[in-house]
mmCIF file of all heavy atoms in Angstrom:
data_model
loop_
_atom_site.group_PDB
_atom_site.id
_atom_site.type_symbol
_atom_site.label_atom_id
_atom_site.label_comp_id
_atom_site.label_asym_id
_atom_site.label_seq_id
_atom_site.Cartn_x
_atom_site.Cartn_y
_atom_site.Cartn_z
ATOM 1 N N GLU D 1 -106.520 33.489 23.425
ATOM 2 C CA GLU D 1 -105.261 32.813 23.108
ATOM 3 C C GLU D 1 -104.103 33.345 23.943
ATOM 4 O O GLU D 1 -103.221 32.602 24.358
ATOM 5 C CB GLU D 1 -104.944 32.936 21.622
ATOM 6 C CG GLU D 1 -103.775 32.084 21.209
ATOM 7 C CD GLU D 1 -103.565 32.067 19.717
ATOM 8 O OE1 GLU D 1 -104.468 32.451 18.967
ATOM 9 O OE2 GLU D 1 -102.469 31.670 19.317
ATOM 10 N N ALA D 2 -104.113 34.639 24.227
ATOM 11 C CA ALA D 2 -103.035 35.238 25.007
ATOM 12 C C ALA D 2 -103.018 34.707 26.441
ATOM 13 O O ALA D 2 -101.993 34.776 27.125
ATOM 14 C CB ALA D 2 -103.174 36.749 25.014
ATOM 15 N N ASP D 3 -104.143 34.169 26.927
ATOM 16 C CA ASP D 3 -104.224 33.646 28.288
ATOM 17 C C ASP D 3 -103.655 32.241 28.413
ATOM 18 O O ASP D 3 -103.387 31.774 29.519
ATOM 19 C CB ASP D 3 -105.689 33.610 28.751
ATOM 20 C CG ASP D 3 -106.317 34.986 28.788
ATOM 21 O OD1 ASP D 3 -105.596 35.942 29.120
ATOM 22 O OD2 ASP D 3 -107.511 35.090 28.468
ATOM 23 N N LEU D 4 -103.467 31.557 27.294
ATOM 24 C CA LEU D 4 -102.994 30.180 27.328
ATOM 25 C C LEU D 4 -101.513 30.135 27.668
ATOM 26 O O LEU D 4 -100.762 31.054 27.356
ATOM 27 C CB LEU D 4 -103.254 29.506 25.973
ATOM 28 C CG LEU D 4 -104.718 29.420 25.564
ATOM 29 C CD1 LEU D 4 -104.838 28.859 24.157
ATOM 30 C CD2 LEU D 4 -105.512 28.570 26.532
ATOM 31 N N PRO D 5 -101.083 29.046 28.321
ATOM 32 C CA PRO D 5 -99.661 28.957 28.681
ATOM 33 C C PRO D 5 -98.793 28.824 27.431
ATOM 34 O O PRO D 5 -99.229 28.286 26.415
ATOM 35 C CB PRO D 5 -99.585 27.686 29.538
ATOM 36 C CG PRO D 5 -100.809 26.913 29.216
ATOM 37 C CD PRO D 5 -101.847 27.895 28.772
ATOM 38 N N THR D 6 -97.584 29.330 27.525
ATOM 39 C CA THR D 6 -96.644 29.235 26.411
ATOM 40 C C THR D 6 -95.527 28.261 26.773
ATOM 41 O O THR D 6 -95.291 27.989 27.945
ATOM 42 C CB THR D 6 -96.029 30.605 26.097
ATOM 43 O OG1 THR D 6 -95.365 31.086 27.261
ATOM 44 C CG2 THR D 6 -97.095 31.599 25.658
ATOM 45 N N ALA D 7 -94.861 27.763 25.767
ATOM 46 C CA ALA D 7 -93.745 26.847 25.993
ATOM 47 C C ALA D 7 -92.602 27.608 26.644
ATOM 48 O O ALA D 7 -92.370 28.782 26.333
ATOM 49 C CB ALA D 7 -93.290 26.250 24.672
ATOM 50 N N PRO D 8 -91.878 26.965 27.549
ATOM 51 C CA PRO D 8 -90.747 27.656 28.174
ATOM 52 C C PRO D 8 -89.621 27.874 27.167
ATOM 53 O O PRO D 8 -89.542 27.179 26.150
ATOM 54 C CB PRO D 8 -90.310 26.686 29.281
ATOM 55 C CG PRO D 8 -90.856 25.366 28.895
ATOM 56 C CD PRO D 8 -92.077 25.623 28.064
ATOM 57 N N PRO D 9 -88.752 28.813 27.446
ATOM 58 C CA PRO D 9 -87.641 29.079 26.529
ATOM 59 C C PRO D 9 -86.722 27.857 26.414
ATOM 60 O O PRO D 9 -86.683 26.994 27.288
ATOM 61 C CB PRO D 9 -86.902 30.255 27.167
ATOM 62 C CG PRO D 9 -87.693 30.697 28.326
ATOM 63 C CD PRO D 9 -88.762 29.705 28.589
ATOM 64 N N ALA D 10 -85.935 27.817 25.330
ATOM 65 C CA ALA D 10 -85.035 26.689 25.070
ATOM 66 C C ALA D 10 -84.036 26.498 26.207
ATOM 67 O O ALA D 10 -83.654 25.367 26.531
ATOM 68 C CB ALA D 10 -84.309 26.901 23.749
ATOM 69 N N ARG D 11 -83.616 27.582 26.878
ATOM 70 C CA ARG D 11 -82.633 27.466 27.948
ATOM 71 C C ARG D 11 -83.171 26.619 29.105
ATOM 72 O O ARG D 11 -82.415 25.927 29.779
ATOM 73 C CB ARG D 11 -82.183 28.842 28.429
ATOM 74 C CG ARG D 11 -83.270 29.684 29.045
ATOM 75 C CD ARG D 11 -82.739 31.078 29.440
ATOM 76 N NE ARG D 11 -83.795 32.017 29.630
ATOM 77 C CZ ARG D 11 -84.620 32.045 30.671
ATOM 78 N NH1 ARG D 11 -84.476 31.176 31.643
ATOM 79 N NH2 ARG D 11 -85.571 32.942 30.756
ATOM 80 N N VAL D 12 -84.478 26.649 29.320
ATOM 81 C CA VAL D 12 -85.084 25.834 30.390
ATOM 82 C C VAL D 12 -84.921 24.355 30.057
ATOM 83 O O VAL D 12 -84.500 23.557 30.906
ATOM 84 C CB VAL D 12 -86.568 26.210 30.581
ATOM 85 C CG1 VAL D 12 -87.251 25.258 31.541
ATOM 86 C CG2 VAL D 12 -86.697 27.641 31.061
ATOM 87 N N TRP D 13 -85.218 23.978 28.824
ATOM 88 C CA TRP D 13 -85.082 22.569 28.419
ATOM 89 C C TRP D 13 -83.624 22.141 28.462
ATOM 90 O O TRP D 13 -83.315 20.994 28.803
ATOM 91 C CB TRP D 13 -85.680 22.337 27.038
ATOM 92 C CG TRP D 13 -87.158 22.486 27.041
ATOM 93 C CD1 TRP D 13 -87.886 23.428 26.370
ATOM 94 C CD2 TRP D 13 -88.108 21.703 27.767
ATOM 95 N NE1 TRP D 13 -89.222 23.273 26.633
ATOM 96 C CE2 TRP D 13 -89.387 22.222 27.488
ATOM 97 C CE3 TRP D 13 -88.002 20.622 28.633
ATOM 98 C CZ2 TRP D 13 -90.548 21.683 28.040
ATOM 99 C CZ3 TRP D 13 -89.159 20.081 29.181
ATOM 100 C CH2 TRP D 13 -90.410 20.616 28.885
ATOM 101 N N GLN D 14 -82.710 23.050 28.116
ATOM 102 C CA GLN D 14 -81.285 22.731 28.170
ATOM 103 C C GLN D 14 -80.845 22.447 29.610
ATOM 104 O O GLN D 14 -80.092 21.506 29.866
ATOM 105 C CB GLN D 14 -80.463 23.861 27.562
ATOM 106 C CG GLN D 14 -80.639 23.982 26.064
ATOM 107 C CD GLN D 14 -80.077 25.277 25.503
ATOM 108 O OE1 GLN D 14 -79.695 26.173 26.243
ATOM 109 N NE2 GLN D 14 -80.053 25.383 24.176
ATOM 110 N N ARG D 15 -81.324 23.250 30.558
ATOM 111 C CA ARG D 15 -80.973 23.036 31.966
ATOM 112 C C ARG D 15 -81.550 21.718 32.475
ATOM 113 O O ARG D 15 -80.917 21.009 33.244
ATOM 114 C CB ARG D 15 -81.493 24.186 32.837
ATOM 115 C CG ARG D 15 -80.899 25.547 32.582
ATOM 116 C CD ARG D 15 -79.550 25.786 33.245
ATOM 117 N NE ARG D 15 -79.445 25.449 34.622
ATOM 118 C CZ ARG D 15 -79.564 26.275 35.646
ATOM 119 N NH1 ARG D 15 -79.849 27.544 35.438
ATOM 120 N NH2 ARG D 15 -79.399 25.866 36.883
ATOM 121 N N ILE D 16 -82.751 21.384 32.045
ATOM 122 C CA ILE D 16 -83.361 20.113 32.451
ATOM 123 C C ILE D 16 -82.543 18.954 31.924
ATOM 124 O O ILE D 16 -82.219 18.016 32.657
ATOM 125 C CB ILE D 16 -84.828 20.032 31.983
ATOM 126 C CG1 ILE D 16 -85.694 21.027 32.756
ATOM 127 C CG2 ILE D 16 -85.369 18.613 32.134
ATOM 128 C CD1 ILE D 16 -87.096 21.185 32.228
ATOM 129 N N ALA D 17 -82.176 19.008 30.643
ATOM 130 C CA ALA D 17 -81.371 17.940 30.036
ATOM 131 C C ALA D 17 -80.021 17.835 30.729
ATOM 132 O O ALA D 17 -79.531 16.729 30.989
ATOM 133 C CB ALA D 17 -81.196 18.213 28.543
ATOM 134 N N GLN D 18 -79.420 18.962 31.061
ATOM 135 C CA GLN D 18 -78.134 18.954 31.743
ATOM 136 C C GLN D 18 -78.266 18.305 33.114
ATOM 137 O O GLN D 18 -77.443 17.474 33.511
ATOM 138 C CB GLN D 18 -77.609 20.379 31.884
ATOM 139 C CG GLN D 18 -76.278 20.479 32.607
ATOM 140 C CD GLN D 18 -75.870 21.928 32.816
ATOM 141 O OE1 GLN D 18 -76.621 22.863 32.537
ATOM 142 N NE2 GLN D 18 -74.669 22.121 33.337
ATOM 143 N N GLY D 19 -79.297 18.666 33.847
ATOM 144 C CA GLY D 19 -79.525 18.090 35.171
ATOM 145 C C GLY D 19 -79.743 16.587 35.106
ATOM 146 O O GLY D 19 -79.234 15.833 35.936
ATOM 147 N N LEU D 20 -80.482 16.134 34.097
ATOM 148 C CA LEU D 20 -80.719 14.697 33.952
ATOM 149 C C LEU D 20 -79.440 13.952 33.598
ATOM 150 O O LEU D 20 -79.191 12.861 34.110
ATOM 151 C CB LEU D 20 -81.798 14.443 32.896
ATOM 152 C CG LEU D 20 -83.215 14.862 33.287
ATOM 153 C CD1 LEU D 20 -84.155 14.697 32.103
ATOM 154 C CD2 LEU D 20 -83.703 14.066 34.479
ATOM 155 N N SER D 21 -78.604 14.543 32.739
ATOM 156 C CA SER D 21 -77.361 13.867 32.370
ATOM 157 C C SER D 21 -76.402 13.824 33.551
ATOM 158 O O SER D 21 -75.685 12.849 33.743
ATOM 159 C CB SER D 21 -76.720 14.526 31.154
ATOM 160 O OG SER D 21 -76.304 15.833 31.475
ATOM 161 N N GLU D 22 -76.402 14.865 34.377
ATOM 162 C CA GLU D 22 -75.550 14.865 35.578
ATOM 163 C C GLU D 22 -76.029 13.808 36.565
ATOM 164 O O GLU D 22 -75.230 13.132 37.195
ATOM 165 C CB GLU D 22 -75.542 16.236 36.225
ATOM 166 C CG GLU D 22 -74.764 17.273 35.450
ATOM 167 C CD GLU D 22 -74.949 18.676 36.004
ATOM 168 O OE1 GLU D 22 -75.674 18.851 37.009
ATOM 169 O OE2 GLU D 22 -74.365 19.606 35.422
ATOM 170 N N GLU D 23 -77.341 13.654 36.703
ATOM 171 C CA GLU D 23 -77.900 12.656 37.597
ATOM 172 C C GLU D 23 -77.539 11.250 37.142
ATOM 173 O O GLU D 23 -77.196 10.391 37.937
ATOM 174 C CB GLU D 23 -79.436 12.796 37.640
ATOM 175 C CG GLU D 23 -79.996 12.944 39.016
ATOM 176 C CD GLU D 23 -81.503 13.074 38.986
ATOM 177 O OE1 GLU D 23 -82.183 12.062 38.792
ATOM 178 O OE2 GLU D 23 -81.972 14.206 39.162
ATOM 179 N N ALA D 24 -77.578 11.025 35.831
ATOM 180 C CA ALA D 24 -77.277 9.706 35.282
ATOM 181 C C ALA D 24 -75.791 9.381 35.433
ATOM 182 O O ALA D 24 -75.417 8.216 35.487
ATOM 183 C CB ALA D 24 -77.683 9.635 33.824
ATOM 184 N N ALA D 25 -74.939 10.394 35.505
ATOM 185 C CA ALA D 25 -73.506 10.171 35.592
ATOM 186 C C ALA D 25 -73.001 10.118 37.035
ATOM 187 O O ALA D 25 -71.793 10.110 37.258
ATOM 188 C CB ALA D 25 -72.774 11.275 34.832
ATOM 189 N N GLU D 26 -73.878 10.064 38.027
ATOM 190 C CA GLU D 26 -73.456 10.012 39.427
ATOM 191 C C GLU D 26 -72.612 8.769 39.665
ATOM 192 O O GLU D 26 -72.909 7.696 39.145
ATOM 193 C CB GLU D 26 -74.674 9.993 40.354
ATOM 194 C CG GLU D 26 -75.353 11.320 40.444
ATOM 195 C CD GLU D 26 -76.536 11.271 41.418
ATOM 196 O OE1 GLU D 26 -76.762 10.227 42.049
ATOM 197 O OE2 GLU D 26 -77.219 12.282 41.520
ATOM 198 N N PRO D 27 -71.544 8.883 40.466
ATOM 199 C CA PRO D 27 -70.691 7.718 40.725
ATOM 200 C C PRO D 27 -71.415 6.682 41.565
ATOM 201 O O PRO D 27 -72.356 6.983 42.290
ATOM 202 C CB PRO D 27 -69.509 8.326 41.487
ATOM 203 C CG PRO D 27 -70.045 9.563 42.110
ATOM 204 C CD PRO D 27 -71.114 10.072 41.167
ATOM 205 N N THR D 28 -70.954 5.465 41.424
ATOM 206 C CA THR D 28 -71.511 4.384 42.225
ATOM 207 C C THR D 28 -70.576 4.100 43.382
ATOM 208 O O THR D 28 -69.385 4.417 43.340
ATOM 209 C CB THR D 28 -71.701 3.119 41.378
ATOM 210 O OG1 THR D 28 -70.442 2.771 40.807
ATOM 211 C CG2 THR D 28 -72.708 3.349 40.270
ATOM 212 N N THR D 29 -71.083 3.488 44.417
ATOM 213 C CA THR D 29 -70.263 3.180 45.594
ATOM 214 C C THR D 29 -69.612 1.818 45.404
ATOM 215 O O THR D 29 -70.222 0.897 44.856
ATOM 216 C CB THR D 29 -71.136 3.168 46.866
ATOM 217 O OG1 THR D 29 -72.179 2.225 46.683
ATOM 218 C CG2 THR D 29 -71.725 4.526 47.145
ATOM 219 N N PRO D 30 -68.358 1.663 45.841
ATOM 220 C CA PRO D 30 -67.698 0.369 45.705
ATOM 221 C C PRO D 30 -68.314 -0.649 46.670
ATOM 222 O O PRO D 30 -68.886 -0.279 47.686
ATOM 223 C CB PRO D 30 -66.244 0.670 46.080
ATOM 224 C CG PRO D 30 -66.298 1.907 46.897
ATOM 225 C CD PRO D 30 -67.510 2.667 46.442
ATOM 226 N N PRO D 31 -68.203 -1.928 46.346
ATOM 227 C CA PRO D 31 -68.766 -2.934 47.246
ATOM 228 C C PRO D 31 -68.021 -2.916 48.575
ATOM 229 O O PRO D 31 -66.820 -2.683 48.620
ATOM 230 C CB PRO D 31 -68.554 -4.256 46.497
ATOM 231 C CG PRO D 31 -67.551 -3.973 45.438
ATOM 232 C CD PRO D 31 -67.590 -2.509 45.176
ATOM 233 N N PRO D 32 -68.742 -3.130 49.692
ATOM 234 C CA PRO D 32 -68.108 -3.048 51.014
ATOM 235 C C PRO D 32 -67.046 -4.124 51.237
ATOM 236 O O PRO D 32 -66.106 -3.922 51.975
ATOM 237 C CB PRO D 32 -69.271 -3.228 51.988
ATOM 238 C CG PRO D 32 -70.387 -3.780 51.193
ATOM 239 C CD PRO D 32 -70.136 -3.436 49.766
ATOM 240 N N ASP D 33 -67.141 -5.271 50.581
ATOM 241 C CA ASP D 33 -66.166 -6.343 50.804
ATOM 242 C C ASP D 33 -64.955 -6.228 49.904
ATOM 243 O O ASP D 33 -64.013 -7.018 50.011
ATOM 244 C CB ASP D 33 -66.829 -7.701 50.635
ATOM 245 C CG ASP D 33 -67.375 -7.905 49.221
ATOM 246 O OD1 ASP D 33 -67.243 -6.995 48.379
ATOM 247 O OD2 ASP D 33 -67.936 -8.980 48.958
ATOM 248 N N GLY D 34 -64.938 -5.265 48.984
ATOM 249 C CA GLY D 34 -63.814 -5.082 48.084
ATOM 250 C C GLY D 34 -63.734 -6.162 47.027
ATOM 251 O O GLY D 34 -62.739 -6.297 46.343
ATOM 252 N N GLY D 35 -64.769 -6.963 46.844
ATOM 253 C CA GLY D 35 -64.770 -8.074 45.896
ATOM 254 C C GLY D 35 -64.976 -7.627 44.467
ATOM 255 O O GLY D 35 -64.913 -6.438 44.142
ATOM 256 N N ASP D 36 -65.216 -8.631 43.620
ATOM 257 C CA ASP D 36 -65.378 -8.368 42.195
ATOM 258 C C ASP D 36 -66.820 -8.106 41.791
ATOM 259 O O ASP D 36 -67.111 -7.983 40.614
ATOM 260 C CB ASP D 36 -64.855 -9.573 41.391
ATOM 261 C CG ASP D 36 -63.348 -9.709 41.529
ATOM 262 O OD1 ASP D 36 -62.683 -8.682 41.759
ATOM 263 O OD2 ASP D 36 -62.862 -10.852 41.407
ATOM 264 N N SER D 37 -67.726 -8.059 42.743
ATOM 265 C CA SER D 37 -69.127 -7.827 42.383
ATOM 266 C C SER D 37 -69.280 -6.429 41.818
ATOM 267 O O SER D 37 -68.546 -5.515 42.191
ATOM 268 C CB SER D 37 -70.036 -8.040 43.590
ATOM 269 O OG SER D 37 -69.713 -7.125 44.601
ATOM 270 N N PRO D 38 -70.244 -6.260 40.921
ATOM 271 C CA PRO D 38 -70.415 -4.936 40.330
ATOM 272 C C PRO D 38 -70.818 -3.927 41.397
ATOM 273 O O PRO D 38 -71.487 -4.282 42.373
ATOM 274 C CB PRO D 38 -71.528 -5.135 39.299
ATOM 275 C CG PRO D 38 -72.195 -6.398 39.668
ATOM 276 C CD PRO D 38 -71.212 -7.207 40.443
ATOM 277 N N PRO D 39 -70.401 -2.683 41.227
ATOM 278 C CA PRO D 39 -70.747 -1.671 42.235
ATOM 279 C C PRO D 39 -72.243 -1.414 42.267
ATOM 280 O O PRO D 39 -72.917 -1.492 41.253
ATOM 281 C CB PRO D 39 -69.985 -0.429 41.769
ATOM 282 C CG PRO D 39 -69.691 -0.655 40.329
ATOM 283 C CD PRO D 39 -69.646 -2.132 40.120
ATOM 284 N N SER D 40 -72.731 -1.128 43.469
ATOM 285 C CA SER D 40 -74.156 -0.823 43.607
ATOM 286 C C SER D 40 -74.361 0.673 43.438
ATOM 287 O O SER D 40 -73.505 1.467 43.813
ATOM 288 C CB SER D 40 -74.669 -1.272 44.976
ATOM 289 O OG SER D 40 -73.996 -0.559 45.990
#
């Protein structure tokens, strides 16, 4: 049993969640023509 992998500490999961939320909040670029189309 001691040879089996253990779950990572909670701080690891917190960093992963933080990284994912930062990735999801990345800004979008404005449309090149300056029109009303949604940003890509």
Side-chain angles (χ1 to χ4, degrees):
E1 189 173 344
D3 298 325
L4 299 175
T6 58
R11 63 183 162 74
V12 172
W13 292 116
Q14 291 167 351
R15 296 279 311 263
I16 291 171
Q18 179 185 7
L20 290 174
S21 66
E22 288 171 1
E23 234 180 76
E26 286 182 3
T28 57
T29 57
D33 61 0
D36 292 332
S37 62
S40 63

